[in-house]
Amino acid sequence: MILGIEGVSCVGKTTLAAQLAPHLNRPAVIPCYYHASPDPTLLPAPEPFTAEHQLANIAQFLDIEDLRLARARQALAEGRDVILDRTVDTLLAHAHAVGRMHGFDCDDQARRLVTSRPVAMPDLTIVLTADSDVLARRARLRKGMPTIFYDRHFSEHFNSYLAHPLAPAVVLLDAAKGSLDDLTARALDHVHRHQAAQHRPSPALGRHPLKEAS
């Protein structure tokens, strides 16, 4: 299966991916766009102020998605599971949040841009959430973390987009509730229930569920 892990920065996506990996089938853990980029210093600033700049940023990140897609395809060809640390829904959630904060709306254009390209689409996405105070405390431990990534309004808009994502199946989990072992157990429960409910092969990489339904 392809499992996506989503949420704003500092919510614990990478940590949960590492916790889940031993419980899946030799999974390939594909890093977020920043760490998958050949040169992260060339990535655009996280807070564009116009729709045009935001769409140009998405196009740049979709080039990185091509690299992630290739790794996901290779893993699936080898009979392995895939864990995506962020999914293409991150790009749309970010565009939605920044647009709401700066008075522009490029949601429809962004969605068309993303769905026009082959992408690694998860079978199940786990969205992690946490209180803004928790995120701010964690962010202070990360040198150079842009403040927008733990801004309360950004987080609210980011998560509101994830109520209607591209991913066909989404589960929200409070990352600050209970211990890490508790969170891992809750996530695994949803993974196992999703796997048990599936009686067909996973959606083909590069084919978006909306296209399949048309």
Side-chain angles (χ1 to χ4, degrees):
M1 73 177 299
I2 304 176
L3 175 65
I5 303 180
E6 268 298 349
V8 295
S9 294
C10 301
V11 78
K13 296 181 299 298
T14 303
T15 299
L16 180 60
Q19 289 288 111
L20 293 175
H23 302 277
L24 299 179
N25 180 28
R26 300 181 296 120
V29 180
I30 298 179
C32 69
Y33 293 88
Y34 180 87
H35 291 103
S37 172
D39 187 352
T41 65
L42 298 180
L43 294 177
E47 196 168 0
F49 294 94
T50 68
E52 292 75 15
H53 286 157
Q54 178 61 75
L55 292 170
N57 290 356
I58 289 176
Q60 187 171 345
F61 279 107
L62 285 174
D63 290 338
I64 302 172
E65 177 65 12
D66 289 342
L67 304 177
R68 287 161 37 100
L69 174 61
R71 292 182 60 177
R73 281 177 165 159
Q74 180 62 38
L76 292 179
E78 296 169 354
R80 303 166 62 193
D81 288 328
V82 173
I83 300 176
L84 300 174
D85 185 343
R86 292 197 181 277
T87 73
V88 291
D89 274 313
T90 274
L91 308 182
L92 298 178
H94 186 99
H96 177 82
V98 172
R100 295 305 179 276
M101 294 175 71
H102 296 301
F104 65 83
D105 184 349
C106 65
D107 287 10
D108 291 342
Q109 294 163 288
R111 184 174 286 245
R112 286 195 296 270
L113 184 59
V114 169
T115 57
S116 71
R117 301 268 294 261
V119 298
M121 182 58 61
D123 300 295
L124 172 67
T125 297
I126 295 174
V127 178
L128 298 180
T129 63
D131 182 84
S132 58
D133 291 337
V134 173
L135 297 174
R137 286 197 300 272
R138 294 176 179 177
R140 284 194 287 270
L141 300 177
R142 295 193 187 183
K143 184 178 179 180
M145 171 67 69
T147 57
I148 187 174
F149 288 147
Y150 55 93
D151 179 278
R152 177 174 62 84
H153 299 293
F154 177 85
S155 296
E156 289 174 354
H157 293 308
F158 189 99
N159 289 332
S160 71
Y161 162 82
L162 289 172
H164 305 284
L166 296 180
V170 176
V171 171
L172 271 67
L173 294 179
D174 185 344
K177 181 180 179 180
S179 67
L180 178 57
D181 286 343
D182 292 334
L183 176 64
T184 303
R186 283 184 280 141
L188 279 173
D189 179 60
H190 286 288
V191 169
H192 293 154
R193 280 196 278 172
H194 183 82
Q195 290 174 323
Q198 301 306 298
H199 302 291
R200 61 186 184 279
S202 297
L205 280 169
R207 297 179 62 199
H208 186 272
L210 295 179
K211 294 180 181 177
E212 293 181 351
S214 62

